[in-house]
Amino acid sequence: MSPKQIIIVSNDTDISQLAYRLLEGGEHKLYRAESCDLARNIIQEERIDVILLGFPSSNQCLPHLDYLLESGIDPAVIALLDLDDHERYLMCHKEGALDCLTAPLTVERLLKSIERCVAIKSLEREKRDFVSMLSHDLKNPLTAAIGSIDLVREKRLGPLNPEQQDYLTSAIESCNEVVSMIDNLLDIHRFEGGKLVFNKSPLNLVELTRYVLHSFRGIIKQVQINLTTRLDDNIPELLIDRSRFSRVIANLVANAVKFTPDGGDIVVSCGYGVSETSKMSVVLQVKDSGSGISPVDLPLIFDRFVQASKQGGRGSGGSGLGLAFCKMTVEAHCGTIKANSQKGEGSEFTITLPIPEE
Ligand code: ADP
């Protein structure tokens, strides 16, 4: 391992003093700061690779490191605990520490942990870069393909019969499905890397729902699904990231279409409601009469890459990322998303977005 820039951040816990003594005079460049706030400038200016965080008795320190993600610096964080306390150990991991070290601390243990955490960070970075490169390299040609197919479908290059037009519409819908999967994947990775920025502006969710549903009219007609809408135009505008929320609605409607047999029913509603904490809210619901989800799968479906037990027909395919993206986005808008379903009796997905009080 090449020499790294390491900072020890502590308000003088025994173990952090020991860590300093053990590393002093070694191959790594060492810095020291008494608090996270004092460490901030050094971390940014010196492009620190590893933070050794002497975790104080109050648990105030790790969350202060959030700004690192915002600033694009991504050092490995190793917590140094004076006491071998299971609760604090778990908390350090939850807050992003890759390792937690307690006494007795030796130079070998410390160096091994630093090497391991630097390697993990570098792998994480490579994974992120790979995903975003792959996604862009897949997405750009697909977008070009959609443009070309659309040109033909719109009869700009000559007449088409209705059957040809239907095939081209299906081709575009399939491409759009893949583009949406790539976007979900990209956003989830951005979110994990702390780099996802939601562009929120005042927006009426009913208008957005109508707009999204419009793009499903082709497939809904093709599979003869009965779509009912209950949309209350009087709801207030909320601060919403239009592009991401339209993907949330599209993911839910696409699933409803995918898991509902030909001739089935889908009801999309959007209007006033109350949240679990009795706050006035805007509630969006997508309900279908499709295959439903078993009680075993139901608690897992919002996790990444989870797909419920084998589904046939139009239910096959997918990436298992759509609902994870929905949950992430809805929660970033201070809302909740819940699924209700019985195997064989359809599913109901409900998004609740509290209306701000003033
Ligand atoms: P996918 O790309 O597989 O649809 P999602 O994250 O959107 O990924 O959904 C995860 C899983 O949840 C699906 O694979 C499916 O098993 C289940 N699911 C989601 N929506 C429905 C629905 N409306 N009806 C039945 N099962 C559903």
Side-chain angles (χ1 to χ4, degrees):
M1 182 175 56
S2 57
K4 300 289 169 215
Q5 308 263 79
I6 299 177
I7 188 165
I8 301 184
V9 186
S10 90
N11 17 8
D12 282 342
T13 56
D14 290 345
I15 191 161
S16 46
Q17 285 179 358
L18 177 62
Y20 190 83
R21 283 202 301 276
L22 292 173
L23 294 175
E24 211 178 7
E27 57 171 339
H28 300 300
K29 178 133 196 226
L30 264 191
Y31 298 83
R32 202 169 189 181
E34 285 194 349
S35 69
C36 289
D37 284 336
L38 291 173
R40 182 186 294 237
N41 287 342
I42 306 176
I43 292 169
Q44 267 170 349
E45 277 162 23
E46 304 301 333
R47 314 293 306 171
I48 291 290
D49 302 297
V50 180
I51 301 176
L52 293 175
L53 193 60
F55 209 66
S57 43
S58 78
N59 41 26
Q60 291 299 316
C61 214
L62 275 175
H64 279 247
L65 294 174
D66 284 355
Y67 71 88
L68 292 177
L69 289 175
E70 286 156 24
S71 63
I73 301 172
D74 193 17
V77 178
I78 300 172
L80 302 171
L81 299 179
D82 266 344
L83 292 172
D84 194 358
D85 172 348
H86 185 66
E87 284 289 307
R88 284 165 73 203
Y89 191 87
L90 283 181
M91 199 176 108
C92 290
H93 275 294
K94 214 172 123 219
E95 297 290 349
L98 288 177
D99 199 4
C100 294
L101 297 175
T102 48
L105 195 60
T106 60
V107 73
E108 289 77 24
R109 254 187 95 203
L110 196 51
L111 289 175
K112 232 182 212 160
S113 171
I114 291 171
E115 189 168 351
R116 202 171 58 86
C117 294
V118 166
I120 294 174
K121 271 287 156 191
S122 141
L123 268 180
E124 277 177 6
R125 249 172 254 135
E126 272 171 32
K127 192 178 89 181
R128 273 207 300 273
D129 293 349
F130 177 73
V131 168
S132 90
M133 183 203 69
L134 186 73
S135 307
H136 284 121
D137 288 354
L138 269 177
K139 203 177 145 179
N140 292 344
L142 259 180
T143 316
I146 293 171
S148 305
I149 301 170
D150 205 30
L151 204 75
V152 182
R153 184 182 60 160
E154 289 193 340
K155 302 183 191 165
R156 295 210 213 151
L157 302 180
L160 290 176
N161 65 39
E163 196 184 4
Q164 288 168 325
Q165 238 176 331
D166 280 351
Y167 274 111
L168 294 178
T169 303
S170 309
I172 290 182
E173 275 161 5
S174 302
C175 290
N176 277 332
E177 206 180 311
V178 181
V179 170
S180 170
M181 272 184 213
I182 293 171
D183 285 336
N184 290 341
L185 181 68
L186 267 178
D187 274 350
I188 286 172
H189 274 268
R190 280 191 198 116
F191 183 76
E192 284 178 346
K195 289 186 182 145
L196 183 62
V197 180
F198 289 95
N199 305 310
K200 297 179 188 174
S201 56
L203 190 99
N204 185 309
L205 204 57
V206 161
E207 276 170 30
L208 189 64
T209 305
R210 268 206 193 94
Y211 171 81
V212 172
L213 285 175
H214 192 66
S215 60
F216 281 90
R217 66 196 189 288
I219 177 82
I220 283 176
K221 190 172 156 210
Q222 194 184 328
V223 297
Q224 295 170 353
I225 276 176
N226 307 304
L227 172 70
T228 308
T229 54
R230 296 185 187 128
L231 306 174
D232 177 355
D233 284 290
N234 295 318
I235 57 162
E237 290 187 327
L238 298 176
L239 283 180
I240 287 176
D241 182 322
R242 182 186 172 87
S243 135
R244 297 211 164 85
F245 232 89
S246 63
R247 206 163 353 115
V248 167
I249 304 171
N251 279 331
L252 296 183
V253 177
N255 278 347
V257 172
K258 198 156 74 168
F259 295 106
T260 302
D262 294 6
D265 300 301
I266 294 179
V267 181
V268 178
S269 50
C270 184
Y272 278 102
V274 280
S275 70
E276 274 174 4
T277 52
S278 313
K279 283 210 169 114
M280 274 307 283
S281 302
V282 169
V283 177
L284 173 86
Q285 203 168 54
V286 179
K287 198 170 168 181
D288 65 63
S289 65
S291 58
I293 304 163
S294 75
V296 180
D297 292 322
L298 196 58
L300 306 174
I301 54 167
F302 290 103
D303 292 346
R304 281 175 301 145
F305 298 111
V306 166
Q307 296 189 294
S309 9
K310 279 217 168 319
Q311 320 256 5
R314 276 185 286 113
S316 51
S319 62
L321 283 175
L323 290 179
F325 168 77
C326 291
K327 186 167 172 1
M328 177 191 92
T329 305
V330 170
E331 288 177 356
H333 286 76
C334 306
T336 57
I337 178 164
K338 297 261 167 327
N340 233 319
S341 185
Q342 300 261 339
K343 192 82 194 142
E345 289 182 22
S347 311
E348 181 182 286
F349 287 83
T350 309
I351 292 174
T352 308
L353 294 173
I355 301 168
E357 265 157 34
E358 68 277 8

